[in-house]
Amino acid sequence: MRLPLKYRLYYTAGKYLPFLKLKPPEVDRKAALHLRPGRNSLLTWEKRETGELVLSVPTNHHPKRMTKWVSKWFRFPEARHVELDEVGGFVWELCDGTHTVEAIVQKTGHEYKMNRREAEVSVTMFLQMLHQRNFIGFYKRVGKKS
Amino acid sequence: MKRTDDDKQEPLEPEEVAGTPTVEKAITVVGWQGVRCNLPPDWNVTGFSMDRESGYLRVDSPGEGSLTVQIRWTDAAKPEVKTFYHVLAPHFRRWLRRPPPLPPKVDLKANLEKFLKDITKQAKKSGEKLEASTKSEKEEGENSERRAMNFSWTGNGRGQGKIWYCSRCNRVLVAQVLGLGREQNAIASIASRLFSSLEDHSTNGYDLWALYDLQVEIPEGFRLASQKLLSGYIQLVFQRGAERIVVDRWGLANVTLKKFSLKDWFTNHANVALKRFSVTETTEEGHERIRYVGKLTPLTRLRAVREAKLSLRNVPSCYEAETWHCPESNKIYAIQVWRHARSLDVWDEVVRRCVCH
């Protein structure tokens, strides 16, 4: 889920030109906990017997002719692999667009007997990291049909 | 087993897990720098200070709740400005065998007015109007050792609190519960729970340190030297002269113990090389326990002195440690003690007073 260009420019300017004092708006914690993380549909994953999970991230899914030729010539791998530990794998499997961040926090805390705060901090940090790498996007449920 | 996003799982509605407690318990016990209180389940410490003489503690309600408990304390006997006289006077008093002077009389009303003035000032800056009300001073506690005043305020939010002076520990303590304007009943309920359980000193000579499911009592003479509060790992280090107690707690024990044995895990994380110490492995109440006991080498003693900022008081000569796995709370605990030969019962008492589930 990409931000509109207007906001992207605004945040980039704020990041590299600090004297403009452009700060991103404060994120409402309540709203953030109600977002639903969903996986990038280009990724595939494999679960090992040990509980670890290996993600396959395609390196270039829309290659130009030149890139395609170069990668073929140099035998670049078509996908890179990211290994998630057992807890990471558990959270990843819950990122299906139906669970909210709040539900994932609760479920992870319950599964691994973690304190609520610890579970919230670790799950939100992990989701943030996945989002930065474009492995997941956040959805907001808009209007529920009866 | 290769999966893609198309493999749908049983959707789990948030409502199904919303009421599921992470660890089932009736209360949350919070203990920090001698201050202890009981709060509803899953409340967590979100802010604290390292200083024992004057500091603060903040505890937040779980999830989407907006209630907060703030506790501030100051040592009434501590001078506001410390001069050369204040450094030397205790030594001369000890040398001349004179008793320490009585602490100055604390004006609770003035302290409360100052506190309310500060929060009014802050509210004014954000353009809100604050109305405060105070109640008269009364005596509380065993042997009427406390003088206390209740107060409350309303603005954009709402707060209900109490200020007291304890003649036994010489602390002035301000505790308040904050929340939104509409949460009057919730604030009152938490405040009554807080004020009925709040203590500012220990009664048995052991300070309670309790946060994030870790609950341990440490002898009063030990001071918190450093802490690490990470998600899944907590470390508290206490010092008394060159003596040291290190309390570690690791979460996700079931994941960790798939890769390492408890012994290997502790050997990798202990602050000393454990080869020289005698090892005893036991199982108590279903908890696998490993205990290490031994004498410190001269080099390790020197290292302990260096880590205690060259303090030569209570130079440790013995090392004792115990690590155990608690399957009920899915945690690994470890308590390490570097102690002087005289402090025989420190380690036993600390291990006995550590609650794991």
Side-chain angles (χ1 to χ4, degrees):
Chain A
M1 192 170 64
R2 294 193 87 178
L3 281 171
L5 181 65
K6 188 175 88 176
Y7 292 112
R8 269 187 282 153
L9 284 174
Y10 184 84
Y11 297 145
T12 315
K15 193 176 173 186
Y16 294 107
L17 307 169
F19 55 88
L20 292 177
K21 293 182 180 174
L22 300 173
K23 284 182 184 171
E26 281 182 16
V27 180
D28 180 10
R29 183 162 163 264
K30 197 175 172 180
L33 286 172
H34 278 102
L35 293 174
R36 290 163 196 272
R39 296 182 282 255
N40 187 332
S41 56
L42 293 167
L43 305 187
T44 54
W45 68 95
E46 200 172 343
K47 194 170 184 178
R48 290 183 183 160
E49 283 174 5
T50 50
E52 286 151 356
L53 206 132
V54 181
L55 303 181
S56 294
V57 187
T59 42
N60 202 342
H61 59 280
H62 289 306
K64 288 177 185 167
R65 191 178 293 172
M66 186 68 177
T67 326
K68 209 172 181 178
W69 183 80
V70 170
S71 55
K72 199 174 179 183
W73 183 261
F74 286 101
R75 292 179 185 174
F76 286 154
E78 286 181 359
R80 64 192 168 90
H81 301 285
V82 179
E83 199 176 304
L84 303 180
D85 67 358
E86 192 187 321
V87 189
F90 180 81
V91 174
W92 174 259
E93 290 190 322
L94 291 173
C95 295
D96 52 5
T98 58
H99 295 85
T100 59
V101 175
E102 172 72 25
I104 296 174
V105 167
Q106 298 254 9
K107 191 117 175 66
T108 312
H110 189 64
E111 180 72 21
Y112 293 98
K113 294 178 184 171
M114 285 164 87
N115 178 286
R116 157 79 212 198
R117 178 87 184 160
E118 281 182 305
E120 189 179 318
V121 170
S122 44
V123 167
T124 48
M125 290 293 284
F126 180 64
L127 291 178
Q128 217 173 329
M129 189 268 288
L130 291 179
H131 182 243
Q132 276 168 0
R133 294 173 183 217
N134 292 327
F135 292 177
I136 58 165
F138 288 103
Y139 303 94
K140 195 177 172 184
R141 182 178 276 183
V142 191
K144 202 176 176 183
K145 282 181 185 174
S146 57
Chain B
M1 183 170 60
K2 201 157 193 170
R3 290 191 192 173
T4 62
D5 208 19
D6 299 337
D7 302 339
K8 288 282 177 194
Q9 297 171 347
E10 278 286 310
L12 183 73
E13 284 301 312
E15 289 76 21
E16 279 181 42
V17 290
T20 315
T22 50
V23 176
E24 287 167 20
K25 55 189 176 181
I27 53 164
T28 301
V29 183
V30 177
W32 191 260
Q33 302 283 10
V35 175
R36 61 169 85 188
C37 60
N38 296 343
L39 288 166
D42 282 338
W43 279 58
N44 280 303
V45 173
T46 51
F48 57 81
S49 65
M50 292 288 287
D51 196 2
R52 189 182 175 87
E53 289 177 338
S54 64
Y56 73 94
L57 184 66
R58 183 189 160 125
V59 192
D60 283 351
S61 59
E64 297 156 10
S66 51
L67 295 176
T68 300
V69 167
Q70 282 181 352
I71 303 168
R72 287 178 184 277
W73 64 89
T74 47
D75 189 350
K78 190 188 167 193
E80 281 183 15
V81 185
K82 211 171 184 179
T83 60
F84 199 52
Y85 166 79
H86 293 106
V87 177
L88 288 180
H91 298 287
F92 274 99
R93 250 181 243 124
R94 209 179 304 146
W95 181 46
L96 297 170
R97 291 181 185 175
R98 295 256 175 93
L102 289 171
K105 197 171 184 308
V106 176
D107 187 353
L108 265 191
K109 203 174 176 187
N111 270 292
L112 180 57
E113 274 170 9
K114 188 173 174 284
F115 175 76
L116 290 173
K117 201 175 166 185
D118 286 348
I119 57 172
T120 313
K121 212 172 176 181
Q122 279 175 8
K124 219 172 187 180
K125 273 184 192 169
S126 55
E128 59 177 289
K129 205 180 167 188
L130 200 129
E131 282 177 22
S133 69
T134 57
K135 287 187 179 168
S136 56
E137 196 176 306
K138 58 183 178 184
E139 288 192 338
E140 284 182 352
E142 290 171 26
N143 309 321
S144 305
E145 61 190 14
R146 285 185 206 154
R147 288 189 288 120
M149 281 175 83
N150 285 313
F151 65 89
S152 61
W153 54 265
T154 49
N156 273 358
R158 186 181 283 275
Q160 194 174 328
K162 190 179 211 175
I163 182 169
W164 81 49
Y165 165 70
C166 176
S167 57
R168 195 167 149 187
C169 61
N170 274 321
R171 269 179 173 174
V172 177
L173 188 137
V174 187
Q176 61 170 348
V177 184
L178 315 174
L180 299 175
R182 60 172 187 274
E183 295 174 323
Q184 191 175 0
N185 292 336
I187 292 172
S189 141
I190 301 292
S192 81
R193 197 169 186 167
L194 171 73
F195 301 147
S196 63
S197 63
L198 191 62
E199 295 285 341
D200 54 0
H201 58 256
S202 66
T203 47
N204 56 358
Y206 286 84
D207 283 334
L208 175 74
W209 295 84
L211 70 165
Y212 301 113
D213 301 337
L214 174 71
Q215 209 174 312
V216 63
E217 285 189 317
I218 302 288
E220 268 183 340
F222 283 87
R223 293 285 174 264
L224 183 70
S226 67
Q227 51 76 26
K228 277 182 197 167
L229 297 180
L230 308 173
S231 174
Y233 175 56
I234 296 176
Q235 185 186 61
L236 299 175
V237 180
F238 303 92
Q239 275 189 324
R240 179 173 67 185
E243 283 183 315
R244 198 147 51 108
I245 299 175
V246 179
V247 181
D248 291 293
R249 197 223 68 183
W250 291 274
L252 304 171
N254 59 350
V255 179
T256 307
L257 294 176
K258 272 182 194 169
K259 290 182 182 173
F260 303 92
S261 68
L262 183 62
K263 198 172 180 179
D264 291 342
W265 178 254
F266 186 62
T267 309
N268 291 338
H269 290 84
N271 299 38
V272 286
L274 298 168
K275 282 177 194 169
R276 300 169 47 85
F277 303 119
S278 67
V279 190
T280 322
E281 291 184 37
T282 53
T283 306
E284 280 175 35
E285 297 168 359
H287 294 185
E288 182 193 354
R289 286 173 179 267
I290 304 174
R291 185 185 175 180
Y292 294 86
V293 182
K295 292 269 179 198
L296 292 170
T297 59
L299 198 69
T300 5
R301 290 180 203 191
L302 277 177
R303 201 179 295 156
V305 171
R306 194 193 64 193
E307 280 173 16
K309 294 174 187 165
L310 303 180
S311 167
L312 292 171
R313 196 161 61 90
N314 300 330
V315 177
S317 56
C318 307
Y319 172 83
E320 285 174 309
E322 181 158 327
T323 180
W324 71 95
H325 168 221
C326 173
E328 287 86 352
S329 60
N330 194 25
K331 309 253 180 335
I332 297 172
Y333 291 84
I335 293 176
Q336 301 174 72
V337 177
W338 284 256
R339 65 166 179 84
H340 190 273
R342 276 197 310 263
S343 319
L344 286 171
D345 57 346
V346 170
W347 177 81
D348 272 330
E349 286 295 322
V350 174
V351 172
R352 199 167 63 81
R353 289 163 188 274
C354 182
V355 181
C356 56
H357 68 273

